[in-house]
Every structure is written in C-alpha cells, then in structure tokens.
Amino acid sequence: MRAPRLTLARAQRDSRRATHRSGRFGAARRRAGTAAQVQGRWSLSAPLLGAGTDPVARRRALSELLLERYGIITREQVLAEGIAGGFSAIYSELAALETLGVARRGYFLEGLGGAQFALPGAVERLRARAVADQAPLVLAAVDPAQPYGAALPWPKAEARRPTRTAGAYVVLAGGDPIVYLERGGRALQTLVEAGDARLEAALAALVDYVRSGAIKRLALEKVDGQPAMGSPLAPALTALGFQEGPRRLTLTA
C-alpha cells in the first residue's frame, strides 16, 4: 500500500545528506525528503467484512470452477479436492448446469462413478484423443492434470507406493504413469514392466525436463528400491547423461 522500503530508505538517506547543507533551501529539501510517499490503490474494507456469500451462489461458482479445471467431473475428483460435503454438496448445482445446457451428464470415464458431469467440448476432445502417439509428459504429482492418486488409483509398485506429494513428479505416456520421481530427486520408481517400450522414452523425457532447468539436480540413490548404481536401469540412465558417483547417479540442469 505504501512506498517500498527502498524508496523510503532513499528518502531518509537524502535527508541525512541534506543536514550538511544550510539555508532555507536545504531545509526545504530536508522536509521534502523525510515525507514518505504514499502509493497504491485504496478501497473500503467494509464490504469484505460484511455478510457471507450466498451458499447457493458459492456452490454454483465452485461447480463451474471444477468443470473448467478438469473438463469432466467425477465423485473421486471432488473428494480429492477436499470439498466440504463431498460430491453431494455440489451435485444439485451440477444438475442445474446440465438443465441450462452448460454441462452434460453421462458415463464418460470407465471404472469411475456413474454420476459424471462434463463440458461438451471436453467430451468431444476425449473422443478424438489419440493417446498412442503422444510424447511422454512430465507433470508434478500434485498437478490437477495428473489424475493418479486422486481420481485414479496408482499402479502397483514393487517399492514404496507413490503419493501426490509436492516436489514429486510423474512421467505419463499414453495416459499411463510410467515413472515416478520422489520428492527431493533421490529415488525413482518405474510403474510399468521392465520390458515396456515406453520406459526409455519416459526416462529421456525426465532428463530433458531436468536439463530445461525445471529441476535443478537429481541425485538418485534408489531405483525401484535398489541402490541406483547397481540397478538394472543404471546403464540406461548413464547413457542418457547421468553421472556415476560413489553411491548415486547425478544429473544437473
């Protein structure tokens, strides 16, 4: 709301310099320099502290927000968002949006709940989507576009079960999770069979993601629960640019 500290510090510094000057002009400059400059945009705070928002309008806005975020809304996604009251809290508003023609109700995603709502454009894009030829995609584990651990269950892993944790990453290929990088970059898990043809491309995508600067450094100590240096993936990782160390494989941006 007020002038930055740097501006105020500069004014105080100029004021101290002005003390060495004499005369009425120096006094005028001294008085001007000590005055803090007030900037910013002001508004009354009373409306912010008044009566709460209409709960119906709030649920409608929340329903529209979720539709814009995901395109297709399922019970599992709403629960993953931690919305108070769960799916039933916004079901009536989603049904109202269907009546208005804003959303569609149907069974769009197999294996999830039967009550699903979607934007018309999202349904058409889903039907036209060809996942087989899509390049691997690196996403943060908590990214809304990364559905595993929220709307969809994680694949079974030999090592620790993946989690939606800030700082962790998932490499998706064809809509399936291929590689999971734990928070801190010290452990890597493969979520497909060892001979899966998508694994090498997923690892290459992770390496490119690091080299782009999105992740500063990886220091793998474990791969699928085993020491990284002796893991079956160690030759493939070193071929992609990982450096061998005493106990880890490292890659820097």
Side-chain angles (χ1 to χ4, degrees):
M1 298 294 289
R2 295 185 178 275
R5 292 184 178 181
L6 182 60
T7 304
L8 184 58
R10 186 180 297 112
Q12 293 173 348
R13 182 185 59 198
D14 294 341
S15 176
R16 287 193 297 269
R17 290 178 179 175
T19 58
H20 299 288
R21 301 185 180 95
S22 60
R24 58 173 182 166
F25 295 105
R29 283 194 297 269
R30 183 164 60 252
R31 287 194 299 270
T34 56
Q37 299 179 9
V38 179
Q39 301 176 355
R41 299 168 62 183
W42 298 75
S43 62
L44 292 174
S45 60
L48 302 177
L49 305 175
T53 307
D54 180 10
V56 177
R58 182 179 180 84
R59 291 195 298 267
R60 173 65 63 85
L62 183 58
S63 302
E64 294 176 348
L65 175 63
L66 292 175
L67 283 170
E68 291 292 337
R69 176 179 296 173
Y70 293 106
I72 299 177
I73 298 298
T74 65
R75 182 184 301 273
E76 291 77 6
Q77 285 172 323
V78 175
L79 294 177
E81 286 281 345
I83 296 174
F87 190 64
S88 59
I90 62 172
Y91 183 87
S92 59
E93 297 304 322
L94 290 171
L97 291 175
E98 179 194 13
T99 303
L100 295 174
V102 176
R104 294 181 184 177
R105 177 169 17 191
Y107 188 62
F108 308 109
L109 300 177
E110 185 179 356
L112 299 180
Q116 301 178 18
F117 294 85
L119 294 176
V123 176
E124 300 305 325
R125 290 186 62 183
L126 183 64
R127 289 171 176 169
R129 185 168 176 245
V131 298
D133 298 331
Q134 288 186 345
L137 179 64
V138 182
L139 290 175
V142 295
D143 194 309
Q146 198 288 107
Y148 293 92
L152 299 176
W154 291 104
K156 294 182 179 180
E158 296 181 2
R160 289 193 302 176
R161 183 182 181 88
T163 58
R164 292 178 65 90
T165 305
Y169 292 87
V170 183
V171 184
L172 303 174
D176 297 325
I178 309 299
V179 173
Y180 177 82
L181 178 67
E182 292 187 8
R183 179 180 181 180
R186 297 181 179 179
L188 186 75
Q189 295 186 46
T190 57
L191 304 177
V192 293
E193 298 294 333
D196 196 299
R198 300 171 294 177
L199 182 57
E200 184 176 354
L203 293 174
L206 181 60
V207 169
D208 292 340
Y209 193 72
V210 174
R211 288 176 174 167
S212 69
I215 303 176
K216 293 183 178 180
R217 184 174 183 267
L218 296 184
L220 296 179
E221 299 177 359
K222 297 285 185 179
V223 175
D224 290 332
Q226 303 178 13
M229 294 294 296
S231 69
L233 283 180
L237 292 172
T238 54
L240 290 171
F242 278 82
Q243 300 295 320
E244 295 183 352
R247 294 180 301 174
R248 58 178 65 94
L249 297 172
T250 59
L251 180 69
T252 56

